[in-house]
Amino acid sequence: MDSNKDIEAKKVIGSKAAGYRNFPMVSRVIFGKGCFNQLGDILLPQRKHSEAPFIFLVDDVFEGTELATRIPVIFNDQIIFVSAEEEPKTSQVDALVQKIRREYTELPSGIVGIGGGTLLDLAKAVSILLTNKGGSAVYQGWDLVQKPALYHVGIPTVSGTGAEVSRTTVLLGPEKKLGINSDYTTFDQVVLDPNLTQGVCKEQWFYTGMDCFIHCIESLNGTYLNAFSQSYGEKALELCKEVYLGALTPEESRDKLMMASWHGGMSIAYSQVGVAHAMSYGLGYLLGVKHGIGNCLVFQHLEEFYPEGVQLFNQMIEKQGIVLPKGICAALSDTDYDTMIEVAMSMEPLWENALGEGWRSVITPEKLKSIYEKI
Ligand code: NAD
Ligand code: ZN
């Protein structure tokens, strides 16, 4: 989850006393249908020498597909197919890093992640851990990474998370689900080729796209809002409306959702997410519910916090014919509810963004339980 990723955002936004955060951005980005074909040329100047490979971490949904044959593998480059069935774990990152260290005498030239938020986050984390000592769990938190990461490239194949622009990589660790938030996390290069999102099934397209929509609603209705976040958030929201409520061709829709994701990610970079993310984090932690669908499951019941947003959400769900699963929390014990509530309530900056400093007078364990019970 990206929900607790910017706890330090608090010290930044609008807070002159603590100083404004100096935010890193993706250094290079290429956009356009078919631009994936230029990947070989893009990587060439970054190759250290023939012994230093590029490692491609690729969603295993692409194994044996035409896309896999187009990955520009030369010399001793390697493609590693990874399942996105589960969201990334610190142990998984550490295993990948060990494998790469074992198989090569030299550090690779770089890491390329091809897939959704899961693969993008894995690529970011592996590139950091190849140049920094110890296991990835050590770096979960804020600005703990000491050395620049290896050159890393992100190539999204499903749009919405904003992971392609963010300075975090969210990992499930032994103790917590928390991002490695650092200036070194951000990609050096992003390849935005809308054609790559063609195979995404309708449900996934909706859930991941709604992550972007919810980023916009939470950012635009938050107390941390500022002109920077607003400018990106409004654009992303407009694009989401076109995609999910308008009458675009599939091609236009893919282009626009890719740019919505980018702008939505930029919007929360300089503000924060809110109620849906805080509560979805509880669901993810206890039940392993994935980020996109988890946000939707919570958001549908948040009309009291985001009346216009929920109304729009309902229109989108209806127009797209999506049926959200029900009864997710039906069989949970009191202890389970307590766990989810504790996890959600620990996301202080998210609540403060959503409801202001007095949020504790509104958000009580009983209140959260009553919402979870509806899911
Ligand atoms: P995902 O990467 O988990 O992928 C979802 C499903 O879509 C998978 O089954 C995958 O195989 C499939 N898929 C991907 N591309 C496809 C394609 N072109 N055709 C067919 N199937 C395809 O989904 P997501 O919603 O993009 O990412 C969720 C992850 O992103 C979570 O782990 C979450 O924590 C993380 N996240 C990170 C940030 C960040 O800023 N770093 C922000 C939000 C979410
Ligand atoms: Zn999100």
Side-chain angles (χ1 to χ4, degrees), residues 2 211 215 277 291 295:
D2 56 345
D211 190 21
H215 290 158
H277 275 78
H291 188 79
N295 285 346

Side-chain angles (χ1 to χ4, degrees), residues 162-216:
E164 64 279 16
V165 290
S166 75
R167 79 189 281 278
T168 192
T169 160
V170 185
L171 302 176
L172 182 63
E175 286 160 31
K176 55 199 168 194
K177 187 170 176 184
L178 185 60
I180 299 179
N181 300 266
S182 85
D183 284 352
Y184 302 128
T185 309
T186 315
F187 283 115
D188 298 296
Q189 168 82 56
V190 168
V191 175
L192 297 178
D193 181 345
N195 281 355
L196 301 186
T197 64
Q198 254 163 337
V200 182
C201 72
K202 184 157 191 187
E203 279 71 24
Q204 193 63 54
W205 166 78
F206 189 81
Y207 299 146
T208 302
M210 284 301 110
D211 190 21
C212 175
F213 172 73
I214 296 170
H215 290 158
C216 299

Side-chain angles (χ1 to χ4, degrees), residues 206 210 213-214 217 237 240-241 244-245 295-304 306-324 326:
F206 189 81
M210 284 301 110
F213 172 73
I214 296 170
I217 300 296
L237 181 60
C240 285
K241 285 188 199 163
Y244 290 102
L245 294 174
N295 285 346
C296 290
L297 288 169
V298 176
F299 193 74
Q300 61 181 333
H301 300 300
L302 299 184
E303 50 285 82
E304 116 179 53
Y306 306 112
E308 287 164 23
V310 174
Q311 209 191 340
L312 271 173
F313 178 81
N314 288 336
Q315 285 171 25
M316 291 174 175
I317 221 168
E318 173 143 351
K319 167 141 186 168
Q320 300 303 333
I322 301 290
V323 181
L324 289 175
K326 287 202 172 83

Side-chain angles (χ1 to χ4, degrees), residues 92-302:
Q92 189 184 11
V93 171
D94 297 344
L96 282 165
V97 169
Q98 274 164 21
K99 173 180 159 67
I100 294 166
R101 286 218 175 105
R102 208 170 43 235
E103 291 177 16
Y104 297 94
T105 48
E106 305 213 18
L107 273 182
S109 294
I111 305 293
V112 183
I114 305 179
T118 299
L119 266 292
L120 297 182
D121 277 2
L122 274 175
K124 288 172 166 181
V126 167
S127 71
I128 289 171
L129 267 295
L130 279 167
T131 55
N132 286 272
K133 286 198 199 102
S136 49
V138 175
Y139 300 102
Q140 283 181 288
W142 287 269
D143 302 307
L144 301 171
V145 180
Q146 301 297 317
K147 294 189 188 153
L150 226 51
Y151 174 80
H152 53 302
V153 181
I155 310 185
T157 65
V158 45
S159 297
T161 64
E164 64 279 16
V165 290
S166 75
R167 79 189 281 278
T168 192
T169 160
V170 185
L171 302 176
L172 182 63
E175 286 160 31
K176 55 199 168 194
K177 187 170 176 184
L178 185 60
I180 299 179
N181 300 266
S182 85
D183 284 352
Y184 302 128
T185 309
T186 315
F187 283 115
D188 298 296
Q189 168 82 56
V190 168
V191 175
L192 297 178
D193 181 345
N195 281 355
L196 301 186
T197 64
Q198 254 163 337
V200 182
C201 72
K202 184 157 191 187
E203 279 71 24
Q204 193 63 54
W205 166 78
F206 189 81
Y207 299 146
T208 302
M210 284 301 110
D211 190 21
C212 175
F213 172 73
I214 296 170
H215 290 158
C216 299
I217 300 296
E218 293 185 328
S219 167
L220 292 171
N221 293 285
T223 60
Y224 291 176
L225 190 64
N226 53 72
F228 185 101
S229 294
Q230 188 176 3
S231 63
Y232 285 107
E234 283 174 351
K235 188 68 208 176
L237 181 60
E238 180 191 314
L239 291 167
C240 285
K241 285 188 199 163
E242 284 187 63
V243 169
Y244 290 102
L245 294 174
L248 302 177
T249 65
E251 201 178 332
E252 288 169 334
S253 166
R254 286 192 293 273
D255 284 11
K256 294 198 177 200
L257 192 57
M258 197 159 251
M259 289 322 298
S261 176
W262 184 275
H263 283 80
M266 287 301 297
S267 179
I268 46 169
Y270 227 72
S271 74
Q272 187 49 276
V273 285
V275 182
H277 275 78
M279 294 194 67
S280 166
Y281 182 54
L283 279 181
Y285 187 84
L286 183 78
L287 301 170
V289 175
K290 294 188 83 182
H291 188 79
I293 187 169
N295 285 346
C296 290
L297 288 169
V298 176
F299 193 74
Q300 61 181 333
H301 300 300
L302 299 184

